[in-house]
Amino acid sequence: CADFVASKQMQNIRMELRGKAVVLMGKNTLIRKGLEMGHAVHPDAGLDVLRSNIRGNIGFIFATNCQLDDIREILGKHVRDSAAKSGQVAKANLSLPAGPTGMDPSQTAFFQALNIGTKIVKGQIELVSEFPILKQGERVSPSSAILLSKLGIRPFSYGMEVEQ
């Protein structure tokens, strides 16, 4: 699966897999057509099963001189953290820990808009208690996305995954 993978990530993956494996990405309709043509020539190869599983942003990695574990390791190295954007669906729960935030007192309005209890200690905002800001399966609100970016928290990570 290759959702939200940047082109620079793909380029780095291809460069690291060079000589070990071949990465094939393309339009799903073209891949389906190629598999259909291959199935016509080789009906017993199981290409029809592969063709029926093509949904979403996928690609193929053909291992030529390595094992699947090597490919998984290389793909695991090329995972990028990403900031929360409003409207995205949260993949996991995230809570803001109690304690200092490093933000100056003029920015308490962001916390008040989300009903987060704060106090000002030594010239910076401090959270009174832990606050759940993201819940798994729910969309990220615009104010939550802004607050997370101001705190420098990047709760999402994107990279290619091996699915079988």
Side-chain angles (χ1 to χ4, degrees), residues 82-86 88 134 140-141 144-146 148-149 153-156:
S82 177
K85 297 180 186 84
S86 63
Q88 267 183 319
L134 296 180
V140 177
S141 69
S144 297
I146 291 170
L148 287 170
S149 69
I153 298 172
R154 299 170 72 98
F156 296 97

Side-chain angles (χ1 to χ4, degrees), residues 42 47 53-54 57 72 104-105 110 123 147 153-154:
H42 304 285
L47 296 178
N53 289 323
I54 296 178
N57 293 327
R72 279 196 177 110
D104 61 288
F110 291 108
L147 180 60
I153 298 172
R154 299 170 72 98

Side-chain angles (χ1 to χ4, degrees), residues 99-119:
T101 61
M103 296 173 67
D104 61 288
S106 66
Q107 300 181 359
T108 56
F110 291 108
F111 294 98
Q112 290 172 348
L114 292 168
N115 293 327
I116 300 174
T118 59
K119 61 182 179 180

Side-chain angles (χ1 to χ4, degrees), residues 72-94:
R72 279 196 177 110
E73 181 183 325
I74 289 170
L75 294 180
K77 285 196 295 189
H78 295 283
V79 175
R80 270 185 47 209
D81 290 334
S82 177
K85 297 180 186 84
S86 63
Q88 267 183 319
V89 177
K91 295 180 181 180
N93 294 328
L94 177 69

